[in-house]
């Protein structure tokens, strides 16, 4: 690392002066936690009692047989409390907030999983909580909005810009610059100004640590490849980190191909040719932007991958050729989801299903003795409206219409 | 003339200076022209031209919307830079660019500074570029006689104020409070203690911005700061009452 908070040529801390002091304090608290073994012990204890860590590694025997190639293992972050990997980061930052003595937390959310995790943490630790969420995402992920509000959080729909994740991040920053004395911004992914990319990756590294032990116990050797979907990059960093030093394991990040890379309607920053270096939301990375530097509208069926930027650490790993990036289209995602439900009785989140797509493409070409791991970053229950819609499910439609009638007549 | 010298000379003749702000291309470049004419004719001392960016993190709802409307109306960086040069040619007061770093980064730091210098732009305000970031941006700007305007906030320590002062030129932009642009500010004891700290840290003129909306606000800081900065209020005024209300508003602010 040449300059502080940089990963190769990416990262940094492009923040307004008013936040300078806040970041100094955060950096200090973070470093103190990293140097204090009891902090990580406390974290592990919390994650094994309040959540179900370690989460299982499931051998997907039916899928493996179906493709006739590599043995497919699924890392089950869906079984983490609140249904996604997001809680790993959030509970860690929650412990840090207690140490810093702040009383209020704010967060952005796309899929709503990070928002739900933050609302959960706030309820448990007794913090006030406000969640910023793009209006389009509020519509796509309405069940999560309901749970956040039920846990006592205020959910603010953001109507600016593309009304998605990046706009929610801007609004959260606008709150933070006013309220930093009492408030911590629980950044939800491995992006943003330093030290967030590194800190979030640290908390998420719990995934890879567990997976490395589990695969050796269950399969007898390290995996040949690991697949993770990439929105901001936190679940990918979480599972990849431990394996960066393992030459025999290839790491594959899967971005949102939307309607297809050639259509321009996607959120692929590291594979494809549409992104270019930029500085926004406090950090330098590859952004989907026009020649003037204005951010473009992205598209993905999954709210959690529908984002213009990507972790600066992943941009650097891409430069170094240590992670390969691929994209999965909306249609491919629906197919993979369908197959996984039917064959394994497991419902991945739309985000996670991107990783399944690429694994399914590659598994048949691999040896049956080889193992691959798919990081199933979350469960698909939150996506019931989107998935039902994509499958054009007649009985579900009928149910919604009937439900609507009971509300409109009351 | 150097921006700092200009402001200091101007301050000899006035109790307080006034910097106004517009968002380029909002609602249109033609309206920008009308508004700027009224500003200059009614005694504004310098003008901040904001080049719109899709993610204006430090701006409140009014300026945010202006940025986004300008971009969706098709405003390009090229047009903004041509407009800036046109204003410098047309009027004798200094013009500054305010924008977010990505606009500069995408254009090329060196190329952007050179373009500004060639156009006669007096200074650059980039709220998401602390001096630790960028490729010695402040130094390169100073070398071309374009003042990098550094920002103080109430959360800035005395020591950091002195540090920032070394990088900056022209004047220091003191944000009146925490938060984003647009909301009303309170000018209480804490604020004046903060301004006194600013005064201690630098010999450059002090501009105070964020939440200055009325004659009363301007009077509050007169004698304690060198320049008042008015942003969101003029945008709202033009939106609601039209650009010909700007002249009377400026006169009222200055007590003329
Ligand atoms: C289930 C799930 N997976 C993946 C993501 C993408 O985020 P990241 O790339 O940080 O893991 C999200 C984000 O909302 C999510 O909810």
């Amino acid at each position: 690392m040449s300059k502080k908070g940089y990963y190769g040529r990416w990262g940094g801390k492009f923040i307004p002066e008013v936040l300078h002091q806040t970041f100094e304090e955060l950096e200090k608290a973070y470093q103190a936690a990293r140097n204090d073994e009891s902090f990580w012990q406390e974290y592990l204890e919390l994650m094994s009692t309040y959540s179900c860590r370690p989460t299982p590694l499931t051998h997907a025997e039916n899928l493996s047989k179906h493709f006739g190639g590599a043995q497919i293992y699924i890392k089950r972050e869906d079984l983490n409390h609140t249904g996604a990997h997001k809680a790993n980061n959030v509970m860690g930052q929650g412990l840090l907030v207690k140490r810093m003595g702040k009383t209020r937390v704010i967060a952005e959310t796309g899929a709503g999983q990070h928002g739900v995790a933050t609302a959960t943490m706030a309820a448990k630790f007794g913090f006030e909580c406000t969640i910023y969420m793009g209006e389009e995402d509020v519509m796509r992920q309405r069940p999560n909005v309901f749970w956040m509000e039920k846990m006592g959080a205020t959910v603010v729909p953001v109507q600016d810009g593309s009304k998605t994740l990046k706009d929610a991040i801007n609004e959260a920053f606008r709150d933070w610059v006013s309220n930093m004395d009492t408030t911590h911004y629980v950044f939800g992914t491995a992006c943003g100004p330093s030290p967030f990319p590194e800190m979030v990756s640290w908390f998420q590294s719990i995934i890879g640590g567990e997976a490395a032990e589990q695969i050796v116990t269950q399969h007898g050797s390290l995996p040949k490849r690991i697949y993770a979907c990439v929105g901001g990059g936190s679940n990918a960093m979480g599972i990849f980190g431990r394996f960066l030093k393992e030459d025999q394991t290839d790491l594959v990040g899967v971005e949102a191909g939307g309607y297809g890379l050639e259509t321009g309607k996607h959120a692929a920053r590291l594979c494809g040719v549409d992104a270019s270096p930029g500085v926004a939301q406090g950090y330098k990375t590859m952004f989907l932007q026009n020649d003037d530097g204005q951010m473009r509208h992205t598209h993905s069926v999954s709210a959690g991958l529908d984002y213009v930027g990507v972790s600066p650490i992943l941009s650097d790993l891409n430069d170094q050729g240590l992670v390969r990036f691929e994209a999965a289209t909306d249609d491919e995602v629906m197919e993979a989801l369908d197959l996984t439900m039917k064959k394994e009785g497991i419902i991945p989140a739309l985000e996670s299903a991107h990783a399944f797509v690429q694994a399914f493409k590659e598994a048949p070409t691999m040896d049956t003795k080889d193992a691959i791991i798919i990081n199933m970053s979350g469960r698909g229950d939150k996506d019931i409206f989107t998935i039902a819609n994509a499958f054009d499910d007649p009985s579900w439609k009928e149910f919604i219409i009937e439900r609507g009638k009971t509300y409109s007549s009351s | 003339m150097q921006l700092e010298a200009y402001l200091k000379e101007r301050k000899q003749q006035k109790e307080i200076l006034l910097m106004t702000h517009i968002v380029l291309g909002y609602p249109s470049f033609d309206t920008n022209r009308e508004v700027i004419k009224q500003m200059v004719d009614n005694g504004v001392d310098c003008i901040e031209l904001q080049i719109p960016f899709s993610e204006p993190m430090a701006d409140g709802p009014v300026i945010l919307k202006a940025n986004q409307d300008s971009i969706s109306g098709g405003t390009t960086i090229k047009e903004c830079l041509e407009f800036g040069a046109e204003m410098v040619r047309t009027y004798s007061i200094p013009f500054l660019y305010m924008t977010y770093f990505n606009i500069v980064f995408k254009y090329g730091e060196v190329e952007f500074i050179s373009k500004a210098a060639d156009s006669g732009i007096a200074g650059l305000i980039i709220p998401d570029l602390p001096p630790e970031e960028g490729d010695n941006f402040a130094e390169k700007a100073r070398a071309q006689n374009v003042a990098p305007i550094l920002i103080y906030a109430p959360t800035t320590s005395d020591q950091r104020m002195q540090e920032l002062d070394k990088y900056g030129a022209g004047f220091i932009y003191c944000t009146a409070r925490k938060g984003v642009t647009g909301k009303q500010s309170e000018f209480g004891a804490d604020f004046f203690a903060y301004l006194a700290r600013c005064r201690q840290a630098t010999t450059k003129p002090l501009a105070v911005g964020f939440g200055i909306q009325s004659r009363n606000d301007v009077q509050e800081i007169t004698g304690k700061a060198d320049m008042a900065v008015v942003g969101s209020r003029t945008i709202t005024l033009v939106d609601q009452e039209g650009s010909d209300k700007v002249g009377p508003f400026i006169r009222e602010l200055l007590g003329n």
Side-chain angles (χ1 to χ4, degrees):
Chain A
M1 216 184 289
S2 49
K3 230 161 136 184
K4 199 154 160 281
Y6 273 80
Y7 319 96
R9 51 191 176 128
W10 312 105
K13 195 167 63 182
F14 295 81
I15 52 170
E17 175 56 28
V18 68
L19 283 177
H20 179 84
Q21 187 64 26
T22 306
F23 271 85
E24 296 272 290
E25 288 159 17
L26 177 61
E27 178 72 38
K28 236 198 206 151
Y30 164 59
Q31 291 303 344
R34 275 205 88 140
N35 294 326
D36 174 2
E37 244 169 67
S38 72
F39 182 88
W40 192 256
Q41 281 313 314
E42 187 184 356
Y43 173 64
L44 290 182
E45 167 80 15
L46 178 67
M47 295 312 285
S48 66
T49 53
Y50 188 58
S51 185
C52 327
R53 301 218 73 95
T55 59
L57 183 72
T58 301
H59 184 196
E61 290 176 72
N62 300 330
L63 283 171
S64 305
K65 269 204 203 90
H66 176 79
F67 288 109
Q71 298 308 306
I72 300 173
Y73 287 84
I74 302 175
K75 180 62 174 162
R76 301 291 302 280
E77 290 305 295
D78 59 315
L79 297 176
N80 202 21
H81 183 37
T82 70
H85 69 294
K86 295 287 178 187
N88 303 334
N89 167 40
V90 167
M91 299 314 294
Q93 289 199 45
L95 292 176
L96 212 57
V97 174
K98 286 217 288 191
R99 286 191 165 199
M100 291 189 293
K102 297 196 172 179
T103 55
R104 176 173 177 264
V105 290
I106 56 173
E108 86 293 349
T109 195
Q113 290 302 114
H114 177 60
V116 167
T118 304
T120 304
M121 178 273 279
K124 179 168 171 58
F125 290 158
F127 303 141
E128 256 188 275
C129 179
T130 300
I131 303 294
Y132 293 92
M133 188 168 187
E135 203 171 47
E136 190 182 314
D137 295 338
V138 168
M139 296 305 292
R140 293 198 263 196
Q141 310 275 221
R142 194 60 185 75
N144 276 341
V145 175
F146 173 79
W147 290 123
M148 287 185 254
E149 290 180 340
K150 280 289 157 274
M151 284 184 285
T154 304
V155 180
V156 181
V158 178
Q159 289 157 15
D160 310 305
S162 57
K163 306 179 173 57
T164 56
L165 185 57
K166 78 170 170 62
D167 310 285
I169 292 175
N170 289 335
E171 265 325 283
F173 270 114
R174 292 188 184 105
D175 180 320
W176 206 19
V177 297
S178 313
N179 302 304
M180 70 289 245
D181 292 345
T182 58
T183 301
H184 174 69
Y185 178 6
V186 184
F187 210 91
T189 188
C191 293
S194 168
F196 279 117
E198 196 182 307
M199 182 168 80
V200 174
S201 300
W202 181 51
F203 289 129
Q204 292 293 1
S205 71
I206 194 169
I207 305 174
E210 291 172 6
E213 277 186 33
Q214 290 165 322
I215 193 74
V216 170
T217 309
Q218 293 173 230
H219 184 74
S221 65
L222 288 175
K224 262 267 181 288
R225 291 179 200 166
I226 300 178
Y227 299 86
C229 68
V230 180
S234 69
N235 86 88
M237 280 308 302
I239 195 156
F240 290 168
R242 163 65 183 76
F243 295 91
L244 280 170
K245 60 179 183 215
E246 306 293 352
D247 286 343
Q248 72 261 50
T249 306
D250 292 338
L251 306 173
V252 185
V254 188
E255 300 184 280
Y259 296 130
L261 295 191
E262 67 290 350
T263 66
K265 293 190 164 58
H266 60 78
R269 298 121 320 171
L270 294 176
C271 76
V273 294
D274 289 343
S276 60
V279 178
Q281 307 209 301
Y283 67 108
K284 185 185 286 183
T285 196
M286 293 291 278
F287 282 100
L288 287 163
Q289 56 183 333
N290 71 14
D291 292 341
D292 269 0
Q294 311 296 359
M295 295 302 143
R296 291 175 23 175
H297 287 223
T298 51
H299 167 79
S300 169
V301 68
S302 67
L305 306 189
D306 200 353
Y307 179 53
V308 289
V310 65
S311 176
I313 307 179
L314 286 174
S315 286
D316 182 43
L317 293 173
N318 183 47
D319 281 355
Q320 296 185 52
L322 292 174
V323 176
R324 165 162 61 92
F325 289 89
E326 304 284 352
T329 65
D330 291 356
D331 288 346
E332 290 173 327
V333 161
M334 286 302 163
E335 264 176 57
L337 190 64
D338 197 31
L339 188 69
T340 306
M341 290 193 284
K342 299 257 160 60
K343 291 276 176 209
E344 298 290 345
I346 286 174
I347 311 174
L350 285 170
E351 289 77 14
S352 322
H354 286 71
F356 285 70
V357 169
Q358 192 60 32
F360 293 173
K361 284 181 191 167
E362 299 181 13
T365 66
M366 298 173 71
D367 197 283
T368 53
K369 287 194 221 57
D370 289 338
I372 61 175
I373 300 178
I374 302 171
N375 196 24
M376 178 164 161
S377 53
R379 65 180 183 219
D381 309 48
K382 70 181 174 60
D383 298 316
I384 189 161
F385 288 90
T386 310
I387 297 173
N389 202 43
F391 287 133
D392 201 18
D393 189 87
S395 66
W396 172 260
K397 261 195 241 175
E398 208 174 292
F399 160 72
I400 293 288
I401 291 166
E402 286 308 313
R403 249 306 146 103
K405 277 188 203 152
T406 64
Y407 285 128
S408 57
S409 61
S410 64
Chain B
M1 196 196 311
Q2 294 269 0
L3 183 58
E4 179 174 345
Y6 163 86
L7 293 174
K8 283 187 165 162
E9 191 184 302
R10 200 89 171 177
K11 181 71 195 338
Q12 308 260 302
Q13 299 138 35
K14 290 177 152 187
E15 281 192 314
I16 188 142
L17 306 178
L18 184 63
M19 176 163 84
T20 50
H21 161 275
I22 61 157
V23 174
L24 292 173
Y26 179 80
S28 68
F29 283 106
D30 282 340
T31 306
N32 288 161
R33 283 189 188 88
E34 290 169 22
V35 170
I36 288 171
K37 178 162 174 30
Q38 300 225 7
M39 288 173 170
V40 178
D41 287 352
N42 288 283
V44 159
D45 301 283
C46 57
I47 298 180
E48 186 185 352
L49 307 173
Q50 180 163 357
I51 302 175
F53 178 47
S54 56
E55 321 300 318
M57 195 210 258
D59 283 303
V62 171
I63 297 179
L64 165 64
K65 180 178 169 294
N67 272 263
Q68 292 182 335
D69 286 2
S70 176
I71 294 164
S72 54
T75 298
T76 63
I77 304 307
K78 187 162 175 285
E79 286 173 301
C80 292
L81 299 177
E82 281 166 6
F83 184 89
E86 178 192 324
M87 290 305 107
V88 175
R89 284 196 304 274
T90 312
Y91 301 106
S92 61
I93 65 163
F95 287 85
L96 294 86
Y97 286 142
M98 181 274 181
T99 194
Y100 289 84
F101 185 57
N102 198 46
I103 298 297
V104 176
F105 179 76
K106 245 331 221 182
Y107 196 88
E109 288 183 48
V110 172
E111 292 79 1
F112 190 91
I113 293 168
S114 300
K115 179 79 186 170
D118 291 348
S119 308
I121 292 294
L124 301 171
I125 306 173
I126 306 183
D128 62 343
L129 184 69
E132 293 85 358
E133 296 290 355
D135 189 12
N136 295 319
F137 183 82
E139 194 182 314
K140 286 177 182 159
R142 281 199 316 267
Q144 296 221 43
N145 235 341
V146 182
I149 307 300
L150 272 278
I151 298 171
Y152 288 175
T155 51
T156 310
S157 69
D158 293 350
Q159 195 192 342
R160 184 161 170 85
M161 281 183 180
Q162 286 174 17
E163 187 64 26
L164 293 174
D165 182 49
K166 287 185 214 150
Y167 290 95
F171 60 88
I172 296 283
Y173 191 125
C174 309
T175 59
R177 53 167 166 72
K178 296 169 192 160
V180 292
T181 54
K183 278 188 211 127
Q184 183 72 42
S185 290
E186 304 254 325
F187 302 110
D190 284 354
F191 170 75
F192 291 114
Y194 156 59
L195 261 197
R197 288 201 302 120
C198 299
R199 185 77 292 164
Q200 276 289 313
T202 179
T203 57
K204 296 184 180 68
L206 296 180
V208 174
F210 280 37
I212 297 198
Q213 304 183 333
S214 66
R215 171 69 190 147
N216 202 33
D217 294 340
V218 174
Q219 278 175 318
E220 285 280 5
I221 62 169
T222 300
K224 286 150 187 138
D226 302 295
M227 182 156 72
V229 186
V230 179
S232 309
R233 183 70 194 100
T234 19
I235 295 181
T236 312
L237 184 71
V238 174
D239 279 352
Q240 292 173 352
E241 300 182 42
S243 47
D244 52 351
K245 290 295 188 306
V246 172
F249 173 62
I250 299 295
R251 283 201 300 279
E252 181 195 314
L253 281 179
L254 292 170
N256 296 333

